[in-house]
C-alpha cells in the first residue's frame, strides 16, 4: 500500500510512463484522460493530506526507503509535508492540473500530443519531488529534474537553430547555479552529517552555530536559487526560454519551477535567519533584479517577453521579501503570482492562439470585443499584478513593500523606494500591454484579423478559474498561516504608524501606473497621428497629453529605454555575462590546447615522459629515506 | 594442494580457458559464424560468473603463496566479468568476421582473474601480461582505419615499458627482501629503506603507466582513439578495472605510508585536472573518453588514500558506476557511416531529435560520469572523497572536488550537442540504428545503472 | 665494488640503456630490441639476487620473463610489419597521426 | 691455482659484465638494425656467460636457447624482411638524444643510489642452486606458472595470427 504522499509524487510519474510509453498507440483520448486525470488525482490527494495536516498539526513524514548508507550516515529518501510544502504542493498540483486541462485545448492539433503530456507529467513529478523532498538531496533531484523537463519542453519546438542558443544559455546559467547549490549542500552535509532540511534548520534554531559559516552555505545555496529563479546575474535564460509552447511558459517559467529558488530559501529559513550577510545579498540581488527587469519590460514588444521580464521582476520582489526576513510574505507572493501570472500567460496563449501565432503587440489591438473572455480574465490578472486592490497581487505586494520599509533585518526607506518605483513600472507596463493588445484600435494584419476567434472552453474555463483566484486569492492570509513555521519579520513599533499611509501610497502607485499607461498608450501607438487628429477638438486636454508624452519621451521613456537596452541588455548580458562566460571558456580552452600540444603523437616523447616521471617519483621518494 | 581445490578454486579460470580452447577449435574447424563465436564467449563468461556466485563464501589456496581465492577476489572477478558481457554484446557488429577477437578477449579476462587471485609477483606478473598482450592486438583488429595500427604500436611499446619498470621494481624488491610474496610487498610499502622505496615507486609507476595517470598517460588517448568502439570500451572499463584492482591487491588494507601518500595524492590530482581540462577540446568521442578515463583513474587512485577497510568497497563501487556509464554510452552511440564518423562528436549534434533513446542514455551516462546526483557516479565519488576526508586528507579531497568540477564542462558539452544543437546534416543521413545486440548491451547497462542509482545502499552492502 | 654491486650496476645500466634506446632511436625495430635489452637488464639483477639469497623464485621469474619477452615480440613484429606495409618506413615519428 | 681459478671466475664475471654493457651501448650507437641485433645478441651471450659463471647454468642455457635461438632469430628475420633505408637510417636519433642520455644517467644514478643505500636480503651464498633444485622447485611449487605460460603463449599465438590474417583480409 502506497502512502498518500508517495502517491502524490508517483502518480504524475505513472502518467509520464503511460503517455510516454503507450500514448502513441492508445490515442489522444487516452492521453488526455491519463495526462490530466492523474495530476487532478494528485491534487485531490494533496488536499486530503492538507486536511490531515490541519487535523494533526505535526508534519507528515513518509520514509520511502534508505537510499544509501555510507560510513554510518544514511541517506533516506523521505517526503515531508508541513504547511510550507503543503502550500507549494497545492499550488503545483492545482495550477499544474488546470494548465494540463488548458493544454488539451492549446495543443489539440499538435502531432506530438502524447509526448507533450508525457513531458508535462514528468515535470510535475520532479516538481513535486522538489517540493515534498525532506532532504536537500531529494530536492536536488527534483531541482535537476525540473530543469531536464524544462529543456525537453522548450526543445519541443526546437527545430529552429536561433532557439538553440537560448537553450544553451539556459543550460550554462543553470549549471553555474547548480555548482553553487552542490557546494552548499556538501558544506552542510560535512557540517551536520545530514541533508534533511528540517534537521539542518533545527540545528540553527538555537542561535548561530560555530561549525559552519551559515552565510557561506546560505550564499552558495542562493547561487543555486539565482540560477533557477532567474536572478541577476543568472537571469538571462528565462526570457529566452519562452520559445516553448505557452502552457509550458505558464506552468514552468512563471508559476512553479522558477519559484523553486524562493521555496529553497524559505525552506532553509532557519539557516538564513542566522545568516544576515547572505540575507543582505539576497535583498540586494532581489531588488536589483526587480528594478532592472521592470525597466526592460517597459520597452519589450513581444507579448511573452513582456510577461517573462515581469516574471523576473516579480521573482525579485519575492527575494526581497526573503532577504528582509519576511519568508511567509515571499511565499504569499509566490502563491498569488502563480495565479495571476499563469492567468496572464495562458491569456497570452489564448491571444496568440486567436491570432494564429502572432506575438508582436504592435500588430495587435482591439481584441477586447473579439475575444471577450480572454480580455476580461487578462484584465483582472493585469490589475492583480499591478496591485489594484482588492485583487490578490495587491495584498502580497503591499506586504512586501511594507516589510521592505519596516523590517528590522534589512528594511529601509531606500529599499522601499526602489521597490515602489518597480511597482509603479509594473503597473505601467502591464497596463500598456493591456491597452496595446486589447483596447486600442486594431493594428492587426488583415489576414490574421480575419481568423480571430475565442478559444475553446477548455482554455477559457481555465482562464476564468485563474482569474477568480487572482481576484480572491489575496484574502487568504498566508503569512499568518505559515507563521508557526516561518516567523514574521520583526518590525519596530515606532514605524507602525506608517503602515496605513504606505498602504494608501501603494494603491496610489498602482493607480498612477494605470493612468500613466492610459495617457500614453490609451489610443494606440501612433501618438503623433492621434495628436494631430485631436488637436482641434480638445485643445487643453490634448496639450496636457502632449505634455505628458513629452515628459515621458524626454525624461522617462528615452533614458529608461536607454538604460534597459544599453546598460542592462547590452552591457550586462552580452558584455559582462557572456563576456565572462566566454572568457572563462576561452581560458579553459587555451589551457586545454596547451595541454593537448603536449600530446604530439610522438612515441619518443611519450617514452621520455615515462623516464622523467619515473626519475622524479623515485627521487621524491628518497625524501622519506 | 589437492586436486579438488585446484579444480574448484580455479573454476572461473578453467571455464574461461575452456571457452578459449573451444573458440580456437571452432576457428580451426573453419566456423567463423560470428553469432556462434559470440555465444560461446558469452556462455563462458556467464558460466564463470555463475560458478563464482555458486562458490560464494568459499576460500582456498590451492597453490600456497601463489594463488588463493576468497570472497574478495571472487567478487572482483564476478563484477569485472559481468562488465565484459556488454562489451562482448556490443562487439558483435564490429567483429562479426574477426574470429580471433573472442578468444583474445577471453584471454584478457583470464589474465585479469589471475591477477585478482595472485599472492606472489610471479602470478601477478603473468596475469598482467596475459591481460595486456591480447589487448595490444585487439586494438588493431577490425581495421577500419590505418591509425589503429599506430595505436596498437604505441600501446605495445609503452605497455612493454611498463612491464619492464614493473619487473625492475620487483627485482629490487626481491633483492631487498629475498621473496616475491605480495604480503611482503605490502609491508615494504611503509619502509623507509631507499632500496625498498625505489622498488615500491617503480612498481607504482608501472601501475600508473598501465592505468594512465599523468605523466604516464600519454599512450591512452592515442590508443583509445585508434581502437574501435567496443575495444575502447573494453580498455576503458575492464583493463582499467584490472589494473586498479591489482594495485589494490598490492596495497591490501594497510594504511597509506608517508612514502606513498604523495604519489597517490599528487599524481592522481594532476591527472584529474589534466584529464578534465584536455577533454574539453576533443572532437572525437573516444579521445574525450580517454581523457575522462585519465581523470577517473585519478579518482580511483585517490581512493587509496582512504582508510584500508573501506578502500575495496569504494574502489569496486566506483568501478561499477564508472564502467556501467562508459559502457552505456558506448553501447548507445548509433552506428554511423564508418567508425570515424560514428565517433565524431559533431555527429552527436541534434541526436536527441533523431534517436531520443540513445541521446537520453548517453546524456545519463555523461551526467553520471560528471558526478551529478542522484546518478551512481555521484555516490561513487562521494564515497571516495568521504573516505579521503575521513582519513584526514581534507585538503586533497577539496582540491580533488574542485578538479572534478572542471570535468562537468565537457560532459555537459556532449549533452548540449545532443539536445540543443541542430544536427550537421550529412552526419545524420548516414546514421543507422544500432544492432539489437548493442541495444541489449545498452539495456543491460541501463538496468545495472538503475539498480545502482536507486539502491546504492544495497549494492554497497554486497561489496 | 663487490660482485653483486657490480652486477646490479650492469643490470640497471642495461635497463637504462634500453629505455634510452626507446627514447632516442628512430628505428622501430631498434626500439623493440631496446625493449628486449631492458628485460635483459632486469633478468641480470634477478639472477644475481636469486644467487645471493639462494631462493628459486627469482630464477623462476627470469624464466617467465623469457616467455613473456617471446610473446611480446611475437605480437610486436607483425604489428611493425603492418605499419611498414602502410607507410614504407620504419621511422617512429612517421606514425604520429593520433595526437591532440 | 685453486685461488686463481676462483679469482678467474670473478674476473670473468667482470669482463663479461663490461662486455655486455659495451654491447648495450653499441645498440644505441650503431646505425644498421642488423648491427644492433648483433650487438644485442652479443649482449645476451655475455649475460649468458655471466649466468653460467654465477652457477645458474640452466638460465644460461635458456638465455642462449630461447633468447638468442628463438627471439633474436625471429627479430633478424624481420630485419632482413624490412630492409628499408629510410630516414631512421640516416638520422638515427630523435631530438630527445641529449635529454634522454642525461635522463638515463640520472636514472642509473638514482637506482644505484637506492640499491647502495638499501638493506639487502641476507646472503645465503653457500646454498647455490643448480638445475636439480630449480627443476624440483619448478615442478613442485611453480608448475602453476609453467602451465600459465602456455596460456600466455596461446594468447600470443592467437594474437599474432589475428594480425596476420586480418592484414590479409583487409589488404
Amino acid at each position: 500500500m502506497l502512502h498518500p504522499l508517495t502517491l502524490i509524487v508517483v502518480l504524475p510519474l505513472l502518467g509520464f510512463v503511460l503517455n510516454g510509453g503507450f500514448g502513441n498507440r492508445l490515442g489522444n483520448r487516452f492521453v488526455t484522460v491519463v495526462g490530466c486525470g492523474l495530476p487532478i488525482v494528485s491534487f485531490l490527494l494533496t488536499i486530503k493530506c492538507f486536511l490531515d495536516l490541519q487535523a494533526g498539526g505535526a508534519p507528515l513524514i513518509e520514509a520511502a526507503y534508505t537510499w544509501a548508507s555510507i560510513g554510518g550516515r544514511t541517506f533516506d529518501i523521505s517526503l515531508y509535508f508541513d504547511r510550507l510544502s503543503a502550500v507549494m504542493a497545492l499550488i503545483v498540483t492545482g495550477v499544474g492540473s488546470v494548465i494540463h486541462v488548458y493544454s488539451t485545448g492549446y495543443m489539440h492539433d499538435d502531432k506530438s500530443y502524447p509526448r507533450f503530456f508525457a513531458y508535462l507529467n514528468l515535470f510535475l513529478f520532479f516538481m513535486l519531488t522538489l517540493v515534498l523532498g525532506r532532504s536537500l538531496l531529494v530536492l536536488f533531484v527534483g531541482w535537476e529534474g525540473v530543469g531536464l523537463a524544462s529543456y525537453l519542453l522548450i526543445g519541443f519546438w526546437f527545430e529552429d537553430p536561433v532557439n538553440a542558443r537560448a537553450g544553451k544559455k539556459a543550460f550554462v546559467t543553470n549549471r553555474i547555479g547548480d555548482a553553487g547549490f552542490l557546494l552548499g549542500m556538501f558544506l552542510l552535509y560535512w557540517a551536520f552529517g545530514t541533508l534533511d532540511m528540517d534537521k539542518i534548520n533545527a540545528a540553527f534554531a538555537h542561535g548561530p552555530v560555530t561549525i559552519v559559516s551559515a552565510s557561506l552555505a546560505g550564499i552558495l545555496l542562493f547561487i543555486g536559487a539565482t540560477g533557477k529563479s532567474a536572478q541577476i546575474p543568472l537571469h538571462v535564460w528565462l526570457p529566452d526560454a519562452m520559445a516553448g509552447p505557452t502552457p509550458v511558459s505558464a506552468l514552468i517559467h512563471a508559476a512553479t519551477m522558477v519559484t523553486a529558488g524562493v521555496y529553497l530559501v524559505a525552506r532553509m529559513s532557519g539557516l538564513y535567519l542566522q545568516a544576515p550577510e547572505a540575507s543582505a545579498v539576497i535583498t540586494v540581488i532581489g531588488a536589483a533584479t526587480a528594478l532592472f527587469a521592470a525597466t526592460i519590460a517597459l520597452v519589450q514588444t513581444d507579448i511573452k517577453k513582456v510577461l517573462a521580464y515581469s516574471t523576473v521582476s516579480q521573482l525579485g520582489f519575492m527575494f526581497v521579501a526573503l532577504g528582509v526576513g519576511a519568508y511567509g510574505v515571499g511565499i504569499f507572493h509566490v502563491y498569488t503570482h502563480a495565479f495571476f501570472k499563469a492567468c496572464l500567460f495562458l491569456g497570452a496563449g489564448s491571444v496568440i492562439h486567436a491570432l494564429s501565432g502572432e506575438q508582436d503587440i504592435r500588430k495587435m489591438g482591439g481584441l477586447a470585443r473579439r475575444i471577450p473572455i480572454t480580455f476580461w480574465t487578462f484584465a483582472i490578472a493585469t490589475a492583480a499584478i499591478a496591485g489594484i486592490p482588492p485583487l490578490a497581487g495587491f495584498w502580497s505586494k503591499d506586504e512586501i513593500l511594507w516589510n521592505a520599509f519596516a523590517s528590522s533585518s534589512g528594511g529601509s526607506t531606500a529599499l522601499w523606494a526602489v521597490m515602489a518605483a518597480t511597482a509603479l513600472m509594473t503597473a505601467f507596463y502591464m497596463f500598456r500591454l493591456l491597452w496595446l493588445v486589447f483596447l486600442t484600435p486594431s493594428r492587426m494584419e488583415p489576414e490574421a484579423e480575419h481568423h480571430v476567434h475565442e478559444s475553446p472552453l477548455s482554455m477559457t474555463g481555465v482562464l476564468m478559474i485563474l482569474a477568480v483566484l487572482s481576484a480572491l486569492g489575496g484574502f487568504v492570509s498566508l503569512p499568518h498561516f505559515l507563521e508557526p513555521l516561518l516567523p514574521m519579520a520583526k518590525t519596530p513599533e515606532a514605524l507602525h504608524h506608517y503602515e496605513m499611509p504606505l498602504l494608501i501610497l501603494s494603491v496610489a502607485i498602482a493607480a498612477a501606473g494605470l493612468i500613466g499607461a492610459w495617457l500614453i498608450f490609451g489610443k494606440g501607438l501612433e501618438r503623433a497621428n492621434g495628436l494631430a487628429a485631436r488637436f482641434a477638438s480638445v485643445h487643453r486636454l490634448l496639450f496636457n497629453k502632449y505634455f505628458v508624452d513629452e515628459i515621458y519621451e524626454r525624461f522617462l521613456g528615452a533614458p529608461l529605454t536607454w538604460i534597459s537596452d544599453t546598460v542592462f541588455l547590452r552591457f550586462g548580458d552580452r558584455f559582462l555575462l557572456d563576456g565572462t562566460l566566454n572568457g572563462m571558456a576561452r581560458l579553459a580552452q587555451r589551457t586545454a590546447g596547451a595541454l593537448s600540444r603536449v600530446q604530439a603523437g610522438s612515441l619518443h616523447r611519450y617514452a621520455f615522459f615515462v623516464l622523467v616521471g619515473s626519475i622524479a617519483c623515485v627521487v621524491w621518494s628518497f625524501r622519506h629515506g | 594442494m589437492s586436486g579438488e581445490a585446484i579444480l574448484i578454486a580455479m573454476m572461473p579460470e578453467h571455464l574461461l580457458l575452456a571457452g578459449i580452447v573451444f573458440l580456437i577449435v571452432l576457428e580451426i574447424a573453419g566456423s567463423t559464424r560470428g553469432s556462434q563465436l559470440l555465444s560461446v564467449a558469452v556462455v563462458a563468461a556467464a558460466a564463470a560468473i555463475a560458478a563464482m556466485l555458486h562458490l560464494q563464501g568459499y576460500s582456498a589456496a590451492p597453490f600456497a603463496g601463489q594463488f588463493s581465492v576468497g570472497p574478495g577476489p571472487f567478487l572482483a572477478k564476478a563484477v569485472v566479468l559481468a562488465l565484459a558481457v556488454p562489451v562482448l554484446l556490443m562487439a558483435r557488429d564490429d567483429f562479426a568476421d574477426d574470429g580471433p577477437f573472442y578468444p583474445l578477449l577471453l584471454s584478457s579476462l583470464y589474465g585479469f582473474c589471475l591477477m585478482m587471485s595472485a599472492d606472489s609477483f610471479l602470478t601477478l606478473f603473468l596475469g598482467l601480461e596475459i591481460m595486456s598482450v591480447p589487448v595490444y592486438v585487439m586494438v588493431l583488429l577490425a581495421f577500419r582505419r590505418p591509425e589503429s595500427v599506430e595505436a596498437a604500436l604505441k600501446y605495445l611499446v609503452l605497455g612493454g615499458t611498463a612491464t619492464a619498470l614493473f619487473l625492475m621494481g620487483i627485482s629490487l624488491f626481491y633483492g631487498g627482501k629475498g621473496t616475491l610474496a605480495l604480503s611482503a610487498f605490502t609491508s615494504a610499502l611503509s619502509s623507509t629503506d631507499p632500496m625498498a622505496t625505489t622498488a615500491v615507486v617503480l612498481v607504482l609507476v608501472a601501475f600508473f603507466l598501465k592505468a594512465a595517470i599523468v605523466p604516464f598517460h600519454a599512450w591512452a588517448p592515442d590508443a583509445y582513439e585508434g581502437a574501435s568502439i567496443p575495444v575502447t570500451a573494453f580498455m576503458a572499463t575492464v583493463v582499467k578495472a584490472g589494473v586498479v584492482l591489482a594495485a589494490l591487491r598490492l596495497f591490501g588494507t594497510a594504511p597509506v605510508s608517508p612514502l606513498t601518500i604523495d604519489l597517490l595524492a599528487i599524481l592522481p590530482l594532476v591527472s584529474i585536472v589534466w584529464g578534465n581540462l584536455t577533454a574539453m577540446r576533443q572532437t572525437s568521442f573516444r579521445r574525450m573518453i580517454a581523457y575522462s578515463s585519465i581523470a577517473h583513474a585519478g579518482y580511483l587512485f585517490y581512493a587509496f588514500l582512504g582508510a584500508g577497510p573501506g578502500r575495496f568497497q569504494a574502489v569496486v563501487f566506483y568501478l561499477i558506476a564508472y564502467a556501467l556509464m562508459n559502457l552505456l554510452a558506448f553501447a548507445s552511440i548509433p552506428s554511423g557511416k564508418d567508425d570515424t564518423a560514428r565517433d565524431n562528436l559533431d555527429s552527436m549534434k541534434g541526436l536527441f531529435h533523431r534517436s531520443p533513446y540513445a541521446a537520453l542514455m548517453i546524456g545519463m551516462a555523461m551526467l553520471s560520469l560528471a558526478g551529478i546526483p542522484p546518478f551512481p557516479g555521484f555516490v561513487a565519488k562521494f564515497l571516495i572523497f568521504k573516505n579521503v576526508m575521513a582519513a584526514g586528507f581534507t585538503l586533497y579531497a577539496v582540491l580533488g572536488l574542485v578538479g572534478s568540477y572542471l570535468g562537468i564542462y565537457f560532459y555537459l558539452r556532449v549533452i548540449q550537442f545532443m539536445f540543443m544543437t541542430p544536427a550537421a546534416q550529412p552526419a545524420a543521413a548516414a546514421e543507422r540504428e544500432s544492432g539489437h545486440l548493442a541495444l541489449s548491451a545498452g539495456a543491460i547497462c541501463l538496468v545495472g545503472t538503475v539498480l545502482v542509482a536507486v539502491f546504492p545502499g544495497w549494492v554497497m552492502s554486497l561489496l | 665494488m663487490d660482485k653483486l654491486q657490480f652486477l646490479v650496476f650492469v643490470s640497471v645500466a642495461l635497463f637504462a640503456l634500453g629505455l634510452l634506446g626507446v627514447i632516442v632511436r628512430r628505428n622501430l625495430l631498434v626500439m623493440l630490441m631496446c625493449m628486449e635489452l631492458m628485460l635483459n637488464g632486469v633478468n641480470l639483477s634477478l639472477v644475481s639476487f636469486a644467487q645471493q639469497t639462494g631462493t628459486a623464485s627469482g630464477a623462476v621469474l627470469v624464466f617467465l620473463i623469457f616467455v613473456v619477452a617471446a610473446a611480446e615480440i611475437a605480437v610486436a613484429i607483425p604489428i611493425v610489419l603492418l605499419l611498414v606495409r602502410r607507410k614504407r618506413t620504419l621511422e617512429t615519428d612517421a606514425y604520429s597521426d593520433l595526437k591532440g | 691455482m685453486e685461488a686463481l681459478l676462483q679469482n678467474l671466475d670473478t674476473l670473468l664475471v667482470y669482463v663479461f659484465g663490461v662486455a655486455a654493457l659495451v654491447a648495450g651501448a653499441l645498440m644505441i650507437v650503431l646505425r644498421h638494425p642488423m648491427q644492433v641485433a648483433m650487438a644485442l645478441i652479443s649482449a645476451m651471450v655475455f649475460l649468458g656467460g655471466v649466468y653460467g659463471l654465477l652457477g645458474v647454468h640452466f638460465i644460461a642455457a635458456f638465455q642462449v636457447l630461447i633468447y638468442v635461438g628463438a627471439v633474436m632469430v625471429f627479430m633478424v628475420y624481420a630485419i632482413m624482411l624490412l630492409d628499408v633505408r629510410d630516414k631512421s637510417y640516416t638520422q638515427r636519433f630523435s631530438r630527445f638524444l641529449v635529454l634522454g642520455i642525461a635522463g638515463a644517467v640520472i636514472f642509473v644514478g638514482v637506482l644505484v643510489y637506492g640499491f647502495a643505500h638499501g638493506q639487502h636480503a641476507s646472503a645465503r651464498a653457500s646454498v647455490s642452486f643448480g638445475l636439480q633444485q630449480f627443476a624440483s622447485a619448478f615442478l613442485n611449487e611453480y608448475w602453476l606458472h609453467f602451465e600459465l605460460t602456455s596460456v600466455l603463449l596461446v594468447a600470443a599465438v592467437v594474437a599474432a595470427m589475428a594480425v596476420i590474417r586480418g592484414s590479409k583480409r583487409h589488404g
Side-chain angles (χ1 to χ4, degrees), chain B residues 300-335:
Chain B
L300 282 166
F301 276 106
Y302 241 65
F304 285 56
L305 288 175
R311 221 181 267 158
F312 182 74
Q313 190 196 41
V315 168
V316 174
F317 190 86
Y318 197 95
L319 279 172
I320 293 175
Y322 160 77
L324 275 177
M325 288 306 129
N326 262 331
L327 292 175
L328 183 60
F330 277 123
S332 311
I333 298 179
S335 28

Side-chain angles (χ1 to χ4, degrees), chain A residues 14 107 117 124 232 568:
Chain A
L14 183 68
M107 299 298 289
F117 272 92
L124 218 54
I232 288 174
F568 289 133

Side-chain angles (χ1 to χ4, degrees), chain B residues 300-435:
Chain B
L300 282 166
F301 276 106
Y302 241 65
F304 285 56
L305 288 175
R311 221 181 267 158
F312 182 74
Q313 190 196 41
V315 168
V316 174
F317 190 86
Y318 197 95
L319 279 172
I320 293 175
Y322 160 77
L324 275 177
M325 288 306 129
N326 262 331
L327 292 175
L328 183 60
F330 277 123
S332 311
I333 298 179
S335 28
K337 164 167 105 279
D338 59 29
D339 213 44
T340 320
R342 182 183 181 195
D343 181 53
N344 199 325
L345 275 178
D346 279 339
S347 70
M348 294 208 168
K349 284 183 177 161
L351 184 66
F352 176 66
H353 303 288
R354 300 198 297 280
S355 39
Y357 171 77
L360 281 175
M361 292 303 107
I362 298 175
M364 189 159 87
M366 292 299 119
L367 288 177
S368 178
L369 286 174
I372 288 176
F375 295 101
F378 164 73
V379 189
K381 271 205 185 79
F382 184 85
L383 205 55
I384 284 181
F385 283 116
K386 191 204 129 271
N387 283 354
V388 173
M389 274 193 181
F393 303 102
T394 316
L395 175 68
Y396 287 132
V398 171
L399 288 175
L401 267 177
V402 171
S404 75
Y405 267 109
L406 292 172
I408 293 181
Y409 175 83
F410 71 87
Y411 293 118
L412 295 184
R413 183 164 156 249
V414 177
I415 294 182
Q416 205 191 57
F417 275 3
M418 292 189 302
F419 288 85
M420 290 165 208
T421 313
Q425 284 310 319
E431 213 167 76
R432 40 192 181 83
E433 282 292 309
S434 313

Side-chain angles (χ1 to χ4, degrees), chain B residues 94-288:
Chain B
D94 295 79
F95 293 97
D97 52 354
D98 267 301
F101 175 78
Y102 301 105
L104 286 177
L105 196 143
L106 287 190
S107 314
S108 186
L109 290 176
Y110 186 95
F112 165 77
C113 290
L114 266 187
M115 286 204 294
M116 288 306 98
S117 286
D119 279 340
S120 78
F121 274 116
L122 294 166
T123 321
L124 188 75
F125 168 64
L126 268 181
L128 192 62
E129 285 304 304
I130 297 177
M131 183 176 81
S132 309
V133 170
V135 183
Y136 300 150
V137 171
M138 279 158 65
V139 168
L140 63 74
L141 283 182
F143 303 116
R144 297 282 155 79
R145 305 179 299 151
E147 293 89 20
S148 56
V149 192
E150 180 192 328
L153 175 80
K154 285 176 174 169
Y155 192 20
L156 177 102
V157 170
L158 289 173
T161 310
T163 305
L165 283 168
F166 181 58
L167 287 169
M168 196 72 223
I170 295 177
S171 163
L172 289 176
F173 162 71
Y174 177 61
K177 302 277 170 185
T179 170
L180 285 175
L182 290 190
S183 49
F185 186 83
T186 311
S187 63
L189 282 173
S190 49
S191 163
T192 54
D193 176 51
M195 182 141 153
T197 58
T198 312
V200 167
V201 170
L202 285 181
V203 170
L204 204 57
V205 162
F207 276 103
F208 281 171
L209 187 46
K210 288 267 182 192
I213 290 278
V214 175
F216 311 106
H217 67 289
W219 59 273
D222 294 1
Y224 282 32
E225 190 187 347
S228 55
I229 279 182
V231 177
T232 310
F234 186 76
M235 288 198 285
T237 56
V238 174
V239 176
K240 185 146 291 192
V243 173
V244 174
L245 287 171
L248 193 64
R249 204 168 162 80
L250 287 183
F251 276 77
T253 53
V256 277
S257 57
L259 161 65
T260 41
I261 286 173
D262 294 333
L263 293 181
L264 286 174
I266 296 170
L267 291 184
L269 181 61
V270 174
S271 295
I272 293 171
V273 174
W274 188 299
N276 282 339
L277 271 177
T278 321
M280 286 179 191
R281 271 173 71 93
Q282 303 309 321
T283 51
S284 149
F285 184 71
R286 272 179 294 212
R287 209 175 177 79
M288 196 198 85

Side-chain angles (χ1 to χ4, degrees), chain A residues 120-163:
Chain A
L120 269 191
N121 284 339
L122 183 68
F123 168 79
L124 218 54
F125 162 70
F126 281 124
M127 191 67 208
L128 286 166
T129 313
L130 193 162
V131 167
L132 293 177
R134 185 184 186 188
S135 84
L136 277 171
L137 190 68
V138 181
L139 187 143
F140 185 76
V141 173
W143 188 271
E144 289 297 302
V146 288
L148 170 74
S150 156
Y151 301 132
L152 291 175
L153 283 164
I154 302 173
F156 201 73
W157 284 341
F158 225 92
E159 277 82 39
D160 186 359
V162 180
N163 290 337

